[in-house]
Amino acid sequence: MNRTARSIWATLATAGLAVAAFATLGTQAPDTASASSDPAASAARADTPASGAQQQWPTLRTGAQGSMVTALQQLLSARGHSLTADGSFGNLTAAAVRSFQTKQRLQADGVVGPNTWNALTTTLRTGSRGDAVAALQRLLTARGHSLTADGSFGNLTAAAVRSFQTEQRLQADGVVGPNTWKALVAAPSGARSDTSPSSRPAPTGYSLKFTKNQKHPMYSVLSLVHNGKAVKSYRAGSGMGITNECASGEGWLPSGTYKVKGHETNRNSGLRTGIKGYAIQLEDKYCTPKPGQKRVKRDALFIHSEMLSDGTQAINVPLTSDDYYRWDGDIDYKSWGCIKIKPTDIKDLFSRLNRAGWPPNLALQVG
C-alpha cells in the first residue's frame, strides 16, 4: 500500500471511530436502557443470579398504585425529594420523578423505566441507614418477609434479604445490588420463584389475610397468619354482597396489602361510621374501575363486628330482625365496605394479637 492510500485509509478509520463514539454517547438518555447501565453495578458485582432468567424492571407512571410506588417514593425521598410514601403515583410523585430525571440527564417524562430505577437504587448492606433502607424493608414485607420499616439495615433485614435472594435464585450474600432491587420491585406481592413448598423459607412474623369467596362473599375467610401458616381462621364478610371493589361503601375491599393503622377495644364513632367496640383500622385504598376512569377512594376501612362501645351486645329489640349494635346472625356479615366477623371471633383475634404484642408492621393481605 503506497503512502497516499495509507493516508486515505487512516482518515476513513478515524472518521469511522468518531461517528461510532458520537452514536454511543448521544445527547440525552431515554428511559429504556438495559440493566448493564446501572451505576451501582460496579459496587455490587456479586449480586448475580445463581440460575434462571433475570427479572425485568417494571414501568410506573401516573395512576400506578401499590408497594412498588411506595418504594419509588421512598427512594426519591432518599435522593432529596420530599414525598409521602402513600403508594399512590399522583402529580407530586410525577413532579419529583421529572426533577430527578432532569438532574440525572434522563428524559424527563415522569415515567419510571429501567434508567430511572437504575439511577435511583443504590447498593445496601448491613449498617446502611435511611429512606432507601426503609424502601427495601417495605418491599421485603410486601414479599412476605415481615420487617419494621425503620430505615436501619440490621441482622433481621440482612436475614430477610438472604432469604429473598435464595427464593429468587440470586447469590444469597445479604448485599442488595441491582439484581436484588430489580427482583424486589418486579416480583408481585407475596410472589415466590420456586413453587416447591419444601424448598423455600416461610415468611416470618404475624400478618392478616382476607381470602375472598367469589360465589358467596359473606362466606369469605379472615386468617391470622404466623410464619407463613394460618394459626386461626374466621368466617368473614366484606361489603353488602357486591363483589365490585370500586363500589364505595358497598363493594368488598380491593385486593392488595393494607397497613394496620391502629386498634381499639372501646371505639365509639357513633353515626359517622357506625362502628363501636373492638375495631382494627386499615389504611385507605384507591381503586380504578376501568382504564381511563376516575379513581375511587375507599376510606373508613376497618375489621370490626357489631357491639356496643364497651364490647357488650345491645338489647334485643322485639320484632326487629337486625338490631344495629347486636349480632343477630348471617345478616350481620354484611358491612359498608369493611370486613366483619362475629363478636366472639374479633375478641379471640384481639387476644391472640395481644399475646403477640401487636406487631408494629402488621399488615392485611386481601386477595
Side-chain angles (χ1 to χ4, degrees), residues 48-55 143 145 161-171 179-180 182-184 186-188 190-194 201:
T48 55
S51 65
Q54 297 185 36
Q55 293 275 10
R143 285 11 171 199
H145 303 270
V161 169
R162 286 192 295 270
S163 176
F164 177 79
Q165 288 171 327
T166 300
E167 294 159 11
Q168 297 296 316
R169 300 180 182 180
L170 296 167
Q171 183 171 326
N179 286 319
T180 301
K182 194 185 301 181
L184 278 165
R192 306 286 186 184
S193 62
D194 189 346

Side-chain angles (χ1 to χ4, degrees), residues 206-245:
Y206 283 91
S207 63
L208 296 168
K209 182 178 181 180
F210 181 67
T211 304
K212 297 176 177 178
N213 187 325
Q214 296 286 341
K215 293 184 178 180
H216 303 288
M218 298 302 108
Y219 283 84
S220 298
V221 176
L222 176 68
S223 300
L224 175 64
V225 179
H226 184 231
N227 293 344
K229 295 182 179 180
V231 295
K232 184 68 175 181
S233 295
Y234 313 93
R235 177 185 166 184
S238 178
M240 303 298 289
I242 299 173
T243 59
N244 179 2
E245 296 181 348

Side-chain angles (χ1 to χ4, degrees), residues 308-338:
L308 296 172
S309 58
D310 62 359
T312 63
Q313 293 285 283
I315 61 171
N316 185 16
V317 179
L319 304 179
T320 302
S321 60
D322 184 22
D323 296 317
Y324 204 59
Y325 293 110
R326 180 183 182 86
W327 191 270
D328 295 301
D330 284 357
I331 191 172
D332 288 324
Y333 280 105
K334 292 185 176 181
S335 71
W336 298 109
C338 296

Side-chain angles (χ1 to χ4, degrees), residues 281-300:
Q281 186 174 4
L282 307 172
E283 64 179 336
D284 298 342
K285 186 73 72 174
Y286 282 91
C287 177
T288 303
K290 292 180 181 179
Q293 293 186 348
K294 186 177 180 181
R295 293 187 304 158
V296 175
K297 183 179 181 180
R298 300 293 306 275
D299 57 5

